[in-house]
């Protein structure tokens, strides 16, 4: 039997009124409106707590909560499938959700998977596509200190395409991407213990955006769980992964709320103080790291395929770079703009190549899902933070109808 992980922290509507600075005498709908500004984790918590505390929910609120529950169930199923692949790890998402108090729903944007090599990456995506049809893929290739790494994600529409944005699985051959401008390098492998990997993944988000209440609540629920990490050990791991300043900042945001301060053991920020100072000094002395070249994949084929093989194949047609993979074919570009002539040349070159061999059909047909690449107006995604929505909208600009822009790497939305 798995040991219990649910936090015993007293998370309720009164606390969210306080944390979100909403007047307590205002009806819960005002709390929900404010929570939506913080993203899905917080707004879903409001709905989940309202249901637990016996508040009247209308058809729309019940429907949203039910969709978010089914979405989380789907990701838990895919999480189990992915973790059965040797070498594959998941971080955040379902792993963080298990720390929240029993009976409360933590929304999940996508599933983040870390793998040791490219062959495992394609196997993981193959397992996903055996179960869910998808029409969109994003690919980024990174090179650093002689390493070649990939980030590949696949996406399909949410249950209600008018209200929910896409669901997806993002697979990387590295654990933490770092930030060259802050002299933080890519770190290939996550810590062995899952709780450390999850907490560091929260801290790593600081390189993409400011911390939000979602991050604070994630940390609080982990630290007040029976599975909470040892504070001194967590501080050492954060230092080893060059994340002591970010984790200390997140602890500071939590302890700034009187109602949350006791949830953070004093040993953790105390243990981070000196490592954070040393890391900031190292970054200042080192200066920005040299920008390494990146390639981005402009998707050429749809829907995604269930291709055989465990490696990509590159083709150079007079400077037009074509990458064929087990899930899709891509035009490789190195910036935001795609030359329409290169796009046409890539399509012509692709048409002259033999079809990619398919894997045997799965025993059970994958669940069909319309492609998210079909043109449509932006919609509110109740599983994402607003900043993450914006990052992904920008990164998907080309994939949704324009051949003038290339997809840039998306921020994680777990």
């Amino acid at each position: 039997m798995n040991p219990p992980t649910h936090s015993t922290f007293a998370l309720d509507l009164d606390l969210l009124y306080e944390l979100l600075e909403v007047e307590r005498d205002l009806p819960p709908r005002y709390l929900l409106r404010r929570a939506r500004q913080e993203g899905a984790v917080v707004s879903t918590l409001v709905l989940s707590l309202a249901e637990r505390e016996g508040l009247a929910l209308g058809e729309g609120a019940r429907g949203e909560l039910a969709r978010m529950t089914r979405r989380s169930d789907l990701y838990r199923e895919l999480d189990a499938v992915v973790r059965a692949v040797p070498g594959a790890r998941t971080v955040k998402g379902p792993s963080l959700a298990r720390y929240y108090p029993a009976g409360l729903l933590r929304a999940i944007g996508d599933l983040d998977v870390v793998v040791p090599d490219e062959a495992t990456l394609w196997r993981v995506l193959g397992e996903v596509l055996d179960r869910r049809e998808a029409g969109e893929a994003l690919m980024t290739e990174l090179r650093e200190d002689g390493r070649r790494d990939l980030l590949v994600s696949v996406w399909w529409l949410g249950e209600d395409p008018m209200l929910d944005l896409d669901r997806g699985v993002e697979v990387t051959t590295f654990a933490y991407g770092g930030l060259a401008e802050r002299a933080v390098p890519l770190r290939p492998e996550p810590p062995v213990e899952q709780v450390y990997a999850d907490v560091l993944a929260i801290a790593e988000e600081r390189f993409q955006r400011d911390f939000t209440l979602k991050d604070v609540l994630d940390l609080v629920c982990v630290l007040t769980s029976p599975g909470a990490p040892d504070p001194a050990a967590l501080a050492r791991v954060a230092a080893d992964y060059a994340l002591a300043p970010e984790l200390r900042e997140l602890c500071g945001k939590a302890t700034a709320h009187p109602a949350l301060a006791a949830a953070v053991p004093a040993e953790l920020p105390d243990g981070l103080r000196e490592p954070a100072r040393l890391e900031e000094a190292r970054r200042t002395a080192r200066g920005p790291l040299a920008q390494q070249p990146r390639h981005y994949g402009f998707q050429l084929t749809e829907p995604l395929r269930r291709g055989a093989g465990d490696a990509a194949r590159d083709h150079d047609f007079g400077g037009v770079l074509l990458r064929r993979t087990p899930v899709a074919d891509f035009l490789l570009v190195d910036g935001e703009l795609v030359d329409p002539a290169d796009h046409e040349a890539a399509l012509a070159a692709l048409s002259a190549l033999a079809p990619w061999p398919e894997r045997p059909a799965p025993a059970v047909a994958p669940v069909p899902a319309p492609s998210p690449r079909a043109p449509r107006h932006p919609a509110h995604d109740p599983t994402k933070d607003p900043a993450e929505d914006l990052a992904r909208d920008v990164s998907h600009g080309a994939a949704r109808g324009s051949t003038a822009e290339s997809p840039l790497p998306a921020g994680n939305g777990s």
Side-chain angles (χ1 to χ4, degrees):
M1 178 179 295
N2 292 327
T5 57
H6 291 299
S7 169
T8 58
F9 186 74
L11 189 54
D12 57 21
L13 285 179
D14 283 339
L15 177 60
L16 289 184
Y17 269 97
E18 180 180 344
L19 297 177
L20 293 171
E21 299 181 336
V22 178
E23 294 182 20
R24 189 60 187 89
D25 58 348
L26 290 175
R29 66 178 179 272
Y30 290 93
L31 179 64
L32 182 59
R33 291 172 187 171
R34 173 67 183 88
R36 290 201 188 283
Q37 299 172 14
E38 294 287 329
V41 168
V42 182
S43 61
T44 303
L45 275 176
V46 169
L47 292 173
S48 187
L49 284 165
E51 181 183 60
R52 188 182 75 176
E53 297 181 19
L55 274 62
L57 299 182
E59 180 180 352
R62 291 195 305 272
E64 180 175 328
L65 190 55
R67 290 200 314 277
M68 293 305 100
T69 299
R70 289 191 291 271
R71 183 179 183 116
S72 294
D73 290 343
L74 167 65
Y75 281 127
R76 279 195 293 271
E77 293 171 8
L78 292 176
D79 179 65
V81 168
V82 165
R83 286 188 289 105
V85 176
R89 297 273 305 275
T90 58
V91 294
K92 300 188 300 179
S95 188
L96 285 175
R98 67 196 179 101
Y99 291 105
Y100 273 67
L104 295 185
L105 179 63
R106 183 199 184 276
I108 301 171
D110 57 12
L111 188 66
D112 296 294
V113 187
V114 179
V115 297
D117 51 45
E118 181 181 350
T120 309
L121 179 146
W122 300 122
R123 180 175 174 186
V124 164
L125 291 175
E127 293 289 344
V128 172
L129 294 176
D130 274 351
R131 291 159 177 83
R132 305 291 301 190
E133 289 183 359
E136 180 180 15
L138 296 176
M139 181 178 65
T140 301
E141 179 185 82
L142 305 84
R143 293 184 182 271
E144 184 172 319
D145 296 332
R147 259 185 82 94
R148 172 182 174 273
D149 283 287
L150 290 176
L151 178 159
V152 183
S153 56
V154 297
W155 300 89
W156 60 95
L157 289 180
E159 183 176 335
D160 186 334
M162 292 295 290
L163 297 176
D164 313 336
L165 287 186
D166 311 332
R167 292 169 284 186
V169 176
E170 181 176 276
V171 191
T172 60
T173 57
F174 56 91
Y176 310 109
L179 188 64
E181 298 93 304
R182 299 294 311 278
V184 180
L186 178 147
R187 284 131 301 157
E189 299 179 3
V192 173
E193 291 192 45
Q194 185 67 35
V195 68
Y196 297 128
D198 290 334
V199 172
L200 294 191
I202 301 171
E204 180 84 4
E205 293 280 11
R206 186 61 181 87
F207 295 138
Q208 308 300 323
R209 55 171 175 77
D210 291 338
F211 287 129
T212 67
L213 182 56
K214 174 195 81 169
D215 306 304
V216 171
L217 292 175
D218 282 347
L219 180 67
V220 164
C221 288
V222 170
L223 295 180
T224 55
S225 157
D230 174 74
L234 178 56
R236 288 194 297 271
V237 172
D240 292 342
Y241 278 79
L243 284 168
E246 288 66 38
L247 185 55
R248 186 163 184 257
E249 179 185 343
L250 181 57
C251 289
K253 287 189 72 70
T255 56
H257 295 284
L260 302 181
V264 180
E267 298 91 332
L268 180 55
D270 288 349
L272 288 167
R273 185 179 296 111
E274 182 63 8
R277 186 190 68 79
L278 293 174
E279 175 61 19
E280 291 286 11
R282 183 198 68 80
R283 295 177 187 180
T284 300
R286 174 65 175 81
L289 301 177
Q291 292 289 339
Q292 301 293 325
R294 291 188 175 190
H295 284 115
Y296 307 106
F298 184 93
Q299 185 180 339
L300 299 172
T301 51
E302 184 187 350
L304 302 188
R305 58 176 168 246
R306 300 180 53 265
D310 58 7
R313 304 173 191 168
D314 289 348
H315 303 266
D316 187 341
F317 294 92
V320 176
L321 301 178
L322 185 65
R323 172 162 294 169
R324 308 197 71 195
T325 79
V327 302
D329 301 309
F330 300 90
L331 169 63
L332 289 185
V333 296
D334 56 9
E336 292 187 41
L337 299 180
V338 176
D339 187 331
D342 287 348
H343 181 237
E344 292 300 319
L347 290 175
L350 182 61
S351 67
L353 297 175
W356 190 280
E358 295 283 319
R359 292 186 291 113
V364 178
V367 176
S371 168
R373 290 166 60 88
R376 66 184 188 274
H377 295 290
H380 166 68
D381 179 4
T383 67
K384 293 279 188 177
D385 287 335
E388 292 169 346
D389 281 347
L390 177 61
R392 188 158 183 269
D393 287 343
V394 171
S395 73
H396 287 58
R400 289 179 176 167
S402 168
T403 59
E405 298 177 357
S406 65
L408 300 177
N412 293 333
S414 297

